[in-house]
């Protein structure tokens, strides 16, 4: 955990997928302090002629764009950490994709621990189990 869903205005490219994944893993681990081994990333590609901003395609504008959302447990990151993460990710994508349309988005979802989990267990359940094990 977390899960990161990425959309990029490019034709599908396995090398770019690897670069995006490596970049997001590094930034998510360093800035948001998330475990690398529990971070999942999906990358979808949208042709620039199918991505429209302000009534014009990105192909017409000669720009790239991206969108990604990341889900983290509420309260595990500060406002400053999230702001630093958004700034660092935008800069990294600009390096990966070249000139970006300003309308490129990053959405950090703070989700409740009782409504989020993996492996069939909520994060709240994992927290309680850890506390019980530590006390016992």
């Amino acid at each position: 955990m977390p899960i990161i869903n990425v959309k990029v205005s490019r034709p599908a490219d396995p090398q770019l997928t690897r670069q995006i994944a490596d970049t997001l893993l590094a930034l998510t681990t360093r800035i948001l302090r998330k475990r690398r081994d529990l971070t999942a990333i999906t990358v979808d590609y949208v042709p620039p002629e199918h991505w429209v901003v302000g009534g014009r395609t990105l192909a017409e504008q000669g720009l790239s764009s991206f969108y990604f959302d990341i889900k983290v447990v509420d309260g595990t990151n500060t406002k400053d950490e999230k702001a630093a993460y958004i700034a660092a990710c935008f800069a990294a994508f600009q390096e990966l994709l070249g000139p970006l349309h300003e309308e490129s988005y990053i959405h950090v979802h703070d989700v409740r621990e009782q409504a989020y989990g993996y492996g069939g267990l909520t994060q709240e359940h994992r927290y309680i189990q850890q506390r019980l094990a530590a006390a016992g």
Side-chain angles (χ1 to χ4, degrees), residues 23 37 44 56 76 93 103 107 114 132 136:
T23 299
D37 62 319
D44 292 316
R56 295 178 52 219
T76 60
F93 271 87
E103 300 301 316
H107 185 180
Q114 67 269 28
L132 290 174

Side-chain angles (χ1 to χ4, degrees), residues 15 35 44 59 61 88 91 100 109 120 122:
Q15 183 177 354
R35 287 181 47 186
D44 292 316
Q61 296 180 52
L100 288 176
H109 295 270
T122 67

Side-chain angles (χ1 to χ4, degrees), residues 61-108:
Q61 296 180 52
L63 296 171
S64 295
S65 190
F66 71 93
Y67 164 80
F68 79 82
D69 63 29
I70 176 172
K71 293 165 184 70
V72 298
V73 174
D74 188 31
T76 60
N77 294 105
T78 67
K79 288 180 183 183
D80 290 340
E81 288 169 332
K82 289 182 267 189
Y85 181 73
I86 289 170
C89 288
F90 188 89
F93 271 87
Q94 192 152 35
E95 202 169 297
L96 288 169
L97 302 177
L100 288 176
H101 198 291
E102 186 177 54
E103 300 301 316
S104 297
Y105 295 97
I106 301 164
H107 185 180
V108 180

Side-chain angles (χ1 to χ4, degrees), residues 9-131:
S9 65
R10 289 286 171 88
D13 178 350
Q15 183 177 354
L16 182 57
T17 298
R18 171 55 48 205
Q19 292 172 321
I20 290 169
D22 289 346
T23 299
L24 287 176
L25 279 170
L27 293 172
T28 303
T29 301
R30 180 172 56 83
I31 299 172
L32 298 182
R33 301 177 327 280
K34 303 306 178 193
R35 287 181 47 186
R36 181 180 182 88
D37 62 319
L38 296 179
T39 300
I41 300 169
T42 63
V43 180
D44 292 316
Y45 291 90
V46 178
E49 59 273 10
H50 292 187
W51 193 309
V52 180
V53 179
R56 295 178 52 219
T57 69
L58 290 173
E60 292 169 326
Q61 296 180 52
L63 296 171
S64 295
S65 190
F66 71 93
Y67 164 80
F68 79 82
D69 63 29
I70 176 172
K71 293 165 184 70
V72 298
V73 174
D74 188 31
T76 60
N77 294 105
T78 67
K79 288 180 183 183
D80 290 340
E81 288 169 332
K82 289 182 267 189
Y85 181 73
I86 289 170
C89 288
F90 188 89
F93 271 87
Q94 192 152 35
E95 202 169 297
L96 288 169
L97 302 177
L100 288 176
H101 198 291
E102 186 177 54
E103 300 301 316
S104 297
Y105 295 97
I106 301 164
H107 185 180
V108 180
H109 295 270
D110 290 306
V111 296
R112 295 186 344 238
E113 63 276 3
Q114 67 269 28
Y116 187 51
Y118 64 94
L121 299 174
T122 67
Q123 290 302 92
E124 181 178 43
H125 177 86
R126 291 175 194 285
Y127 175 79
I128 292 168
Q129 289 302 101
Q130 288 174 356
R131 299 291 291 178

